[in-house]
Amino acid sequence: MNSYKFADLAVGMTESFEVEITENMMDKFIDITGDVSPIHVSREYAVDHGFKTRVCHGMLVGSMFSTMAGVYLPGEHCLLHSVETKFSSPVYPGDKLTVTAKISEINDTFKIATIKGNIKNQDGKTVCKAVYQAGVRE
């Protein structure tokens, strides 16, 4: 876990991590959220609707930006203020994702960093983008 304080941050700082989406993660997300949409629950339903298997919840994929903010950039001194996500391709169980984030702006007055994030699958295809604002304690 990184421990960047506001004074440590600079435009251009970048961090990344990798995660594999598993059926177990998806099932736990269903248990937590109650989102039982058949496209996420039923392989047969998803295949019948043009997907290769169950589709991972977009918000499970997007939640990786929470991990990025709280663990990597900025890390333990972070409190998320906002996250704007855009989903561009489906994610499936077994996909290996690389989550990357880069500081694009620093606001000294409010001690907030604006960070642009990107998630790519094992084929290098972007599946999700985000811009998040992170407050950083001293």
Side-chain angles (χ1 to χ4, degrees):
M1 175 179 293
N2 288 328
S3 298
Y4 296 122
K5 293 187 178 177
F6 189 77
D8 300 325
L9 301 179
V11 171
M13 285 179 72
T14 304
E15 293 284 346
S16 67
F17 69 92
E18 295 180 351
V19 62
E20 181 174 346
I21 299 299
T22 66
E23 296 262 356
N24 187 45
M25 291 168 75
M26 292 170 60
D27 292 340
K28 286 181 179 180
F29 192 84
I30 290 166
D31 289 343
I32 291 167
T33 64
D35 182 349
V36 293
S37 172
I39 201 162
H40 303 304
V41 176
S42 168
R43 180 192 178 287
E44 294 76 22
Y45 182 92
V47 169
D48 286 348
H49 288 83
F51 298 95
K52 64 182 186 180
T53 191
R54 292 171 60 187
V55 177
C56 182
H57 296 76
M59 293 309 291
L60 174 56
V61 174
S63 74
M64 298 306 153
F65 292 115
S66 178
T67 302
M68 175 58 79
V71 178
Y72 298 96
L73 189 63
E76 74 172 311
H77 301 293
C78 169
L79 183 61
L80 276 175
H81 288 227
S82 67
V83 181
E84 179 184 338
T85 54
K86 295 185 180 184
F87 307 101
S88 53
S89 292
V91 172
Y92 301 104
D95 279 357
K96 294 177 182 149
L97 306 179
T98 301
V99 183
T100 304
K102 181 177 183 177
I103 297 177
S104 61
E105 185 179 330
I106 301 277
N107 183 314
D108 292 319
T109 303
F110 295 106
K111 305 275 191 266
I112 293 175
T114 300
I115 302 168
K116 293 183 178 180
N118 190 329
I119 302 176
K120 293 185 178 189
N121 68 14
Q122 65 279 353
D123 300 321
K125 185 172 188 173
T126 297
V127 298
C128 184
K129 289 183 178 186
V131 175
Y132 63 92
Q133 290 192 321
V136 185
R137 295 174 297 185
E138 293 289 293

